[in-house]
Amino acid sequence: MIAVEEAIRLVKRYYDLVDRNKIPGLLSLFTTDAVYERPGYPPLRGIGELERFYRQDRVIESGKHSLRGVAAEKELIAVHGDFEGRLKDGKDVCVRFADFFQVAQDGLFRRRDTYFFSPQV
């Protein structure tokens, strides 16, 4: 079971690493067999696919996540926020999102599901 304070710390660390493009650090937050589902992509399974996504396939060039809220219960963390940034095609984007993380016993993310309030990203 994850405490709310620990969940907030963990997801803030994740988004900070993503926004700074610190791929090794963000990958270290996931179990080796983690699954990530995101609109527009097939399910990403395992660290290798996650790394390929963040290094090659992700359409986002740069940007910043701002969290509106984080809720945690047992091993589940729900996040609601905004992303503002630039896509690799040069387009500026501002989109609301919701993320749902599942935390393994070792405190690492074993699953992430992302939803957008817009089909832009």
Side-chain angles (χ1 to χ4, degrees), residues 24-115:
L26 76 88
L27 291 174
S28 74
L29 300 177
F30 288 87
T31 62
T32 58
D33 62 345
V35 176
Y36 178 27
E37 292 201 44
R38 177 185 180 99
Y41 297 88
L44 304 171
R45 300 183 187 282
I47 290 295
E49 289 186 13
L50 286 171
E51 183 171 12
R52 186 192 73 237
F53 169 75
Y54 285 108
R55 291 193 188 277
Q56 299 172 16
D57 300 340
R58 189 172 183 240
V59 298
I60 295 170
E61 178 68 32
S62 62
K64 172 93 173 109
H65 292 84
S66 300
L67 305 186
R68 292 181 181 212
V70 178
E73 183 176 329
K74 297 187 182 180
E75 77 278 357
L76 301 175
I77 304 171
V79 180
H80 180 227
D82 301 286
F83 174 80
E84 188 170 346
R86 180 165 292 222
L87 304 181
K88 289 179 179 174
D89 67 3
K91 182 179 177 183
D92 290 327
V93 64
C94 183
V95 63
R96 287 175 46 203
F97 70 91
D99 269 331
F100 298 89
F101 295 87
Q102 188 174 28
V103 181
Q105 289 290 334
D106 59 7
L108 299 176
F109 298 130
R110 71 173 161 212
R111 183 173 182 88
R112 179 180 174 208
D113 294 281
T114 297
Y115 301 91

